[in-house]
Amino acid sequence: MCSCHQEGVHCAEMAMVCLTDFEEYANAHLSKATWDYYAAGADECCTRDDNLLAYKRIRLRPRILRDVSVSDTRTTVQGKEISFPVGIAPTAFHCLAWHEGEVATARATEGLNTCYITSTYSTCSVEEIVAAAPSGYRWFQLYVYRERKLSEQLVHRVEALGYKALVLTVDVPYTGKRRNDIRNQFRLPPHLKVKNFEGVFEQETSVPEEYGIPANTLDPSISWKDIYWLQSITCLPIIIKGILTKEDAELAVEHGVQGIIVSNHGGRQLDGGPASIDALAEIVDTVAGRIEVYVDGGIRTGSDVLKALALGAKCVFIGRPAVWGLAYKGEEGVREVLQILNDEFRLSMALSGCRNVAEISRNLVQFSKL
């Protein structure tokens, strides 16, 4: 880390006080290609950047003299109690940031009793993740492939392993244009693999690769009828990730899914779409409590979590900050990132006059006129 002399005091290690500290550490210590991959947004990165700026446009309306001597951050997602409403969003290739990769992430989330959405594009297998954190609460993020059997086999694997929900990512019929990945000719290093597909594509070495598997593997013909197909092969709850409009939220409810993650894929897909938090309220209003609604994208502080819950999210999920934690100190780093968010959320709740999650309501927020 850093060594410095300040007012005669020797500081052997920089204090990690907020998520930005982890971001700066990761930027300084990861290779350029790896940093660029994690940081990438699509095209001009307008949506990626707006995910953060949108939270700053929301102001809190604190209530005072509310006796906040005792506070409780617990909530439930899909009927399961978690210690606070922050989980880990599905992010690929954790072994690029830390040698233990997703195994470290799984242990950290197990230790803090929250939800970890494991990515299809993990550099540890779903079996390795379960073995490392057997009592952890996990969902599995799924893509639909042209070869439906690939998706089906994954579903059966994770169901047998005790994953508690499927998170169907629906905003990637094609991969967004991430300019730095193209410039860097990003590829997984030879010692890393998309472990859930180990052995599946080995006969196709002449086919161009895209993020660890052959290009054009994803199915761009995916449609609402595939929700019914997925329901026919699993008993797990289905949560759709990537909805940004009230029209699609209504269709999701009509098709019998159990949840929605309001998400623009971290700004990595369609540039020029809304910030996730800006799309949240209309989706919550449309759903009207019929299913749970979550949000990811741009959460960097505990007050961001509070704002998202005030606008109707049941839970938020963090992507890049988890990777920054990994880059810092593996499992311990992810735990620190989550603990900082938990502590900041608890403090923001108290300073706003909320003693528990149930007291957080839309009356707590207003939108800045600026």
Side-chain angles (χ1 to χ4, degrees), residues 116-133:
Y116 169 33
I117 308 177
T118 302
S119 172
T120 289
Y121 286 76
S122 296
T123 37
C124 300
S125 71
V126 287
E127 289 82 6
E128 289 168 333
I129 290 164
V130 170

Side-chain angles (χ1 to χ4, degrees), residues 90-128:
T91 45
F93 308 152
H94 286 193
C95 283
L96 283 176
W98 184 258
H99 64 280
E100 289 184 305
E102 290 83 4
V103 159
T105 310
R107 288 189 188 124
T109 48
E110 178 188 52
L112 288 175
N113 185 29
T114 191
C115 180
Y116 169 33
I117 308 177
T118 302
S119 172
T120 289
Y121 286 76
S122 296
T123 37
C124 300
S125 71
V126 287
E127 289 82 6
E128 289 168 333

Side-chain angles (χ1 to χ4, degrees), residues 1-2 11-18 21-22 328 336 340:
M1 293 289 294
C2 71
C11 166
E13 189 172 275
M14 183 176 75
M16 306 302 269
V17 174
C18 62
D21 292 339
F22 292 86
Y328 174 58
E336 284 190 46
I340 285 170

Side-chain angles (χ1 to χ4, degrees), residues 180-257:
N180 280 343
D181 285 352
I182 298 168
R183 292 185 180 109
N184 295 333
Q185 299 181 349
F186 174 82
R187 292 176 69 91
L188 274 181
H191 69 284
L192 296 181
K193 297 280 186 291
V194 181
K195 287 294 284 288
N196 293 319
F197 292 128
E198 197 163 30
V200 173
F201 299 115
E202 285 183 0
Q203 304 308 309
E204 305 179 36
T205 52
S206 62
V207 177
E209 179 191 297
E210 185 175 61
Y211 297 113
I213 66 172
N216 302 315
T217 306
L218 292 170
D219 189 351
S221 77
I222 183 172
S223 70
W224 286 105
K225 70 178 187 299
D226 291 303
I227 304 298
Y228 296 135
W229 166 74
L230 199 52
Q231 289 164 338
S232 76
I233 64 169
T234 184
C235 295
L236 290 175
I238 296 168
I239 294 156
I240 294 188
K241 177 180 181 291
I243 285 181
L244 291 167
T245 63
K246 61 186 180 183
E247 294 88 350
D248 282 339
E250 182 59 45
L251 283 166
V253 174
E254 290 173 6
H255 282 78
V257 305

Side-chain angles (χ1 to χ4, degrees), residues 136-154:
Y137 180 58
R138 280 175 294 272
W139 299 347
F140 182 75
Q141 176 261 340
L142 181 74
Y143 289 103
V144 173
Y145 295 97
R146 292 175 191 268
E147 176 49 70
R148 286 289 195 276
K149 281 290 178 193
L150 290 179
S151 300
E152 192 170 334
Q153 287 163 1
L154 276 174

Side-chain angles (χ1 to χ4, degrees), residues 27-44:
N27 193 2
H29 289 79
L30 294 172
S31 72
K32 181 181 185 301
T34 297
W35 170 260
D36 285 350
Y37 166 73
Y38 289 135
D43 299 312
E44 296 180 300

